[in-house]
Amino acid sequence: MLAPVKGPRISQARSAVWAYVRSAPGTYLWLGILCATTVAVHHMSPAFEHEFLRRRSTNIHELSTHPVRVLAASAMWTGGGSWLPYAVLYSVFHAQAERWLGTVRWLVVCGAAHVLATLISEGALAWAIADGRAPASAVHTLDVGVSYALAGVVGVLTYRIPTPWRYPYLAAVLLLFAYPLTAGATFTDLGHFVAVLVGLACHPLVGGRQRVRNPKETGAVGPG
């Protein structure tokens, strides 16, 4: 027997991947920036990396002096570690949300979750410092990354899932993000939970999008 020709299948797979990437341009542009910044961090010395990221961190000190700059800059760094988990999470959650909501509404959800979760969690930390429950040095605590925006998108995707499966998904999400609050919660744990609630509060942006937005996803065809 002749071996099956793999060329056309590989070409089709590449076309499918490229089509998926093009359907969520904001997600993969952001992911590309994160790839570049992650590589950059890996080439920094530990001492330089800490100072570099601190100036781009949404800690209390930087928020009080350069709020707009650090709110934007902090969303472009992963804080080190591996980039591949972000590639998976962005493809599973962000890409789906952007394809469903459209780029503008998806960005609104990401921005709202990132900004509100940051301000509320850092406000809680400032309160703890003022109350003596956290050291004064905590005003410089490193806080960069994209997890708040991701948590917000995880929350808003609740409305993408049809009933009755929506409710187990929602219960699992709330349990996943609420549990850390019961066991030695940090300000980032609070931020993640707030971000999920912000995503759920973005229900008005979902209007008319409870069903699949793109007819190609259902095989439906428009009028000829």
Side-chain angles (χ1 to χ4, degrees):
M1 291 181 60
L2 294 175
V5 178
K6 296 183 179 180
R9 293 183 181 180
I10 294 175
S11 179
Q12 290 173 2
R14 288 175 178 172
S15 297
V17 170
W18 179 235
Y20 190 83
V21 170
R22 286 189 293 112
S23 70
T27 293
Y28 289 100
L29 175 60
W30 193 1
L31 195 56
I33 293 172
L34 291 178
C35 180
T37 57
T38 300
V39 170
V41 166
H42 287 167
H43 285 81
M44 297 177 186
S45 67
F48 181 79
E49 174 189 339
H50 181 80
E51 179 61 20
F52 182 86
L53 292 179
R54 186 191 64 77
R55 292 178 59 83
R56 288 152 181 81
S57 167
T58 49
N59 57 59
I60 296 171
H61 173 74
E62 294 295 335
L63 278 174
S64 64
T65 54
H66 308 288
V68 176
R69 177 176 65 80
V70 295
L71 280 168
S74 64
M76 301 302 163
W77 301 85
T78 63
S82 174
W83 174 82
L84 288 178
Y86 292 96
V88 173
L89 292 172
Y90 269 54
S91 297
V92 172
F93 295 105
H94 277 301
Q96 288 297 318
E98 185 180 2
R99 295 176 72 204
W100 173 49
L101 294 172
T103 300
V104 173
R105 295 190 186 198
W106 164 74
L107 281 174
V108 170
V109 174
C110 291
H114 176 65
V115 172
L116 292 176
T118 295
L119 295 179
I120 290 173
S121 61
E122 292 292 342
L125 180 58
W127 187 12
I129 293 171
D131 199 38
R133 290 179 288 110
S137 60
V139 297
H140 297 289
T141 300
L142 194 65
D143 185 21
V144 295
V146 296
S147 57
Y148 292 162
L150 179 62
V153 164
V154 169
V156 79
L157 280 174
T158 298
Y159 308 115
R160 177 71 171 81
I161 300 172
T163 54
W165 309 112
R166 175 181 302 175
Y167 304 113
Y169 173 86
L170 176 59
V173 167
L174 291 177
L175 180 62
L176 176 66
F177 287 96
Y179 177 75
L181 298 179
T182 67
T186 65
F187 75 96
T188 54
D189 294 327
L190 174 62
H192 290 139
F193 186 69
V194 169
V196 167
L197 296 183
V198 170
L200 292 171
C202 287
H203 183 264
L205 295 176
V206 177
R209 284 171 164 78
Q210 281 85 349
R211 294 185 179 276
V212 175
R213 183 172 59 88
N214 187 348
K216 293 180 181 179
E217 295 181 14
T218 61
V221 295

